[in-house]
Amino acid sequence: MGVPDPSPALRLPVGLKVSIDVRRDQQPHHDARIDAHLRVKAVGVGPSDEVPAPELAVVLALDVAAERREAAAAALAAALRALPDGLSFTVLGGADASGAPTGCYPLRGRWALAGTAEKRRAAFSAGRIAPAAAGRPPTGYPVWLAAARDLFAERPLPVRHLLLITDGSSHDEADDPELPDSALQHELARCAGRFTADVLAVGSHWDPAPLLAVVERLHGSPVDVPDRFGPAVTEAVQRLRRVRSPELPVSVTVRPAVREVTLTETAPRRQTLEAVHRPDEPRRFDFPTHQWEPGTRDYLLTLHADASTDPLGVLLQLATVSIGDATAPLLVRWLPPGVAVGAGATGGGGDTLQAMNVATQMRTALDRGYLALDPLTRGEAEQQFGLAVRLANEIGAAWVLDKVREVAEILDGSRGLVRVGPTVDRGTVRRGRLHIASGHLLDLPEHATGKPVRCPDCRHLAGPRAQYCIACGRRL
């Protein structure tokens, strides 16, 4: 993956705080795996709580079948009237004979600027929306994404966002999102870093897989909405105005002994981030993240390190994690031979890792259970739901129990025994998959924190308990 196009800076900065929770004492190995819980807190800085509307560009793409055209046009008109003044917008709807999305508004040019008169004309023009034509091959989501990418190239504003409103009419079943060389994956790779996207799913006949692929790669949210989706569009735009920074990389700089680095966001959304490497800094891994607003994000940071030449029994800084101006060190201590992990350890850390791992297993089992119901595979679904319920009881995740009860009966929560009913509504199953992907914050304890220090000689950053600088060897 190449370096994405840089987004212009917003005028509303965020204050960031980074903390790392890791089990301090580790067993040395030539390929030791280190898991750490990374938490980033963002706080709005400045007098304003909203991004000025002129900083936003939004493409509304409406992809519905003929039977939904009337309701969709009314909902779109209501959404257009509610746009904030000054926002740049364009509306796509339907496709021409070649399959390319057609422009609904503006009537001339490619972009409109929201204002009283402009919004009134746009709402009136919503009736021009053309539904997906019956009997014609489906347009395909990659075509909608390509059209948005082409439009955003002309509008280099800080926040560029696609709202794809679809009932699944344009989905080409031959385009499997799981295949790395599919047209959808290829187009997502071209769009990544250039704009973000939400999917508003209307009805229940859409396939969740490609929609989830879109929002995961383009850092958005999946939402199931009624035919009258106007309020959902307004809510999405309001959320965009809370974005204080459109993109911030999480930078991980590692010791030479570290061979592999992965970063997975666990809350508020589940997604594996892709690293961007700089040729001049081979030990630095930059993971682009998007749409930063005040709040908390949790990540699982995994390193693979060769401990064969490292000293034993002393704190070592394996990595430094930075985001914006905030920095935190990742410190471990390789245990001498014969010393078990946890034996006599002090300040061991890792207090939240077990809760995070359990929550990850729970959400994975819940997702697999819903996946097994579409199409119906009752035995696999009951097994996965049972695991999710048992883990949810361990950590007190009541929302998981509620999601399971939508499609199954919980017979014994502590033992993980559930029974899927004789009839399962496919629409409920598909909406459930979107809800699970939307994410739920974990109630994890705060990390034990301390103030990092810098070496007085070489200025290398070290953890609060470090005794020696790993860069120059000076005693701290």
Side-chain angles (χ1 to χ4, degrees):
M1 174 181 169
V3 178
D5 293 340
S7 299
L10 288 176
R11 293 194 294 268
L12 302 179
V14 289
L16 298 165
K17 179 182 178 182
V18 180
S19 57
I20 297 176
D21 187 37
V22 64
R23 191 179 65 198
R24 189 62 50 82
D25 291 336
Q26 300 278 348
Q27 294 284 1
H29 192 267
H30 72 276
D31 187 25
R33 170 173 169 159
I34 309 296
D35 289 325
H37 172 209
L38 171 65
R39 169 164 283 183
V40 183
K41 287 188 176 182
V43 179
V45 177
S48 177
D49 291 329
E50 285 191 335
V51 174
E55 305 274 11
L56 278 66
V58 176
V59 171
L60 295 97
L62 188 60
D63 162 40
V64 295
E67 60 269 19
R68 282 198 166 86
R69 178 193 175 282
E70 184 175 349
L76 178 63
L80 291 170
R81 284 191 289 266
L83 292 177
D85 289 347
L87 176 139
S88 295
F89 73 99
T90 188
V91 182
L92 301 176
D96 59 22
S98 67
T102 57
C104 171
Y105 198 83
L107 304 180
R108 295 181 179 84
R110 307 249 287 173
W111 287 92
L113 197 63
T116 301
E118 196 75 33
K119 289 187 291 185
R120 184 170 58 248
R121 288 193 292 267
F124 179 78
S125 300
R128 299 177 64 236
I129 284 290
R136 193 186 62 213
T139 304
Y141 297 134
V143 179
W144 290 98
L145 294 172
R149 175 171 51 82
D150 185 47
L151 285 164
F152 284 123
E154 301 177 3
R155 217 66 167 180
L157 294 177
V159 179
R160 293 161 286 182
H161 194 74
L162 166 67
L163 286 171
L164 175 59
I165 307 160
T166 181
D167 63 359
S169 297
S170 75
H171 175 46
D172 185 353
E173 295 184 358
D175 186 25
D176 187 349
E178 302 298 326
L179 298 177
D181 58 347
S182 69
L184 179 58
Q185 291 294 357
H186 178 71
E187 184 56 42
L188 286 173
R190 300 182 70 183
C191 295
R194 289 168 172 80
F195 62 91
T196 53
D198 287 348
V199 169
L200 277 59
V202 182
S204 61
H205 295 291
W206 33 265
D207 181 1
L211 302 183
L212 293 174
V214 169
V215 296
E216 179 173 343
R217 191 65 185 273
L218 300 184
H219 304 273
S221 298
V223 187
D224 71 280
V225 295
D227 284 2
R228 302 285 179 172
F229 53 78
V233 173
T234 301
E235 182 180 348
V237 173
Q238 289 173 343
R239 181 180 59 79
L240 288 175
R241 297 195 69 184
R242 295 194 296 269
V243 173
R244 293 253 172 166
S245 181
E247 179 181 330
L248 283 172
V250 177
S251 299
V252 183
T253 305
V254 300
R255 288 166 54 95
V258 176
R259 298 171 172 170
E260 183 181 343
V261 180
T262 60
L263 187 67
T264 303
E265 181 177 327
T266 58
R269 300 184 183 96
R270 287 189 301 165
Q271 53 186 332
T272 300
L273 305 180
E274 294 190 29
V276 175
H277 298 282
R278 298 188 178 188
D280 56 331
E281 296 185 78
R283 294 200 294 273
R284 174 172 169 172
F285 299 77
D286 287 339
F287 297 90
T289 62
H290 297 265
Q291 291 193 358
W292 279 89
E293 58 188 86
T296 300
R297 296 192 187 187
D298 290 294
Y299 300 90
L300 176 64
L301 173 63
T302 300
L303 311 178
H304 287 265
D306 181 2
S308 57
T309 60
D310 283 340
L312 302 177
V314 298
L315 285 178
L316 299 172
Q317 183 171 315
L318 289 189
T320 300
V321 179
S322 302
I323 179 167
D325 295 330
T327 303
L330 193 157
L331 305 173
V332 302
R333 176 170 44 220
W334 305 120
L335 296 178
V339 178
V341 172
T346 59
D351 296 334
T352 61
L353 278 175
Q354 183 176 0
M356 174 179 280
N357 289 334
V358 169
T360 299
Q361 295 175 41
M362 174 190 70
R363 291 169 66 167
T364 300
L366 183 63
D367 187 46
R368 288 175 177 173
Y370 267 88
L371 181 61
L373 293 181
D374 187 16
L376 180 62
T377 309
R378 192 180 307 275
E380 173 67 14
E382 290 178 345
Q383 180 182 357
Q384 295 295 337
F385 283 144
L387 174 58
V389 166
R390 181 172 59 79
L391 295 175
N393 276 283
E394 288 183 13
I395 64 175
W399 69 270
V400 172
L401 305 182
D402 292 339
K403 294 308 299 179
V404 172
R405 289 192 181 101
E406 290 183 7
V407 291
E409 179 185 2
I410 300 177
L411 304 177
D412 188 332
S414 60
R415 295 171 57 197
L417 298 179
V418 304
R419 180 173 57 202
V420 174
T423 59
V424 178
D425 179 66
R426 177 166 288 188
T428 301
V429 171
R430 293 184 170 182
R431 287 190 292 269
R433 289 189 62 190
L434 291 192
H435 292 167
I436 296 166
S438 297
H440 294 262
L441 285 173
L442 307 178
D443 188 16
L444 299 174
E446 291 294 326
H447 298 174
T449 59
K451 187 175 181 180
V453 298
R454 290 190 182 274
C455 173
D457 284 354
C458 69
R459 306 301 297 164
H460 192 83
L461 191 69
R465 298 186 181 92
Q467 299 179 13
Y468 294 90
C469 175
I470 65 170
C472 68
R474 177 190 171 100
R475 185 176 181 87
L476 301 177

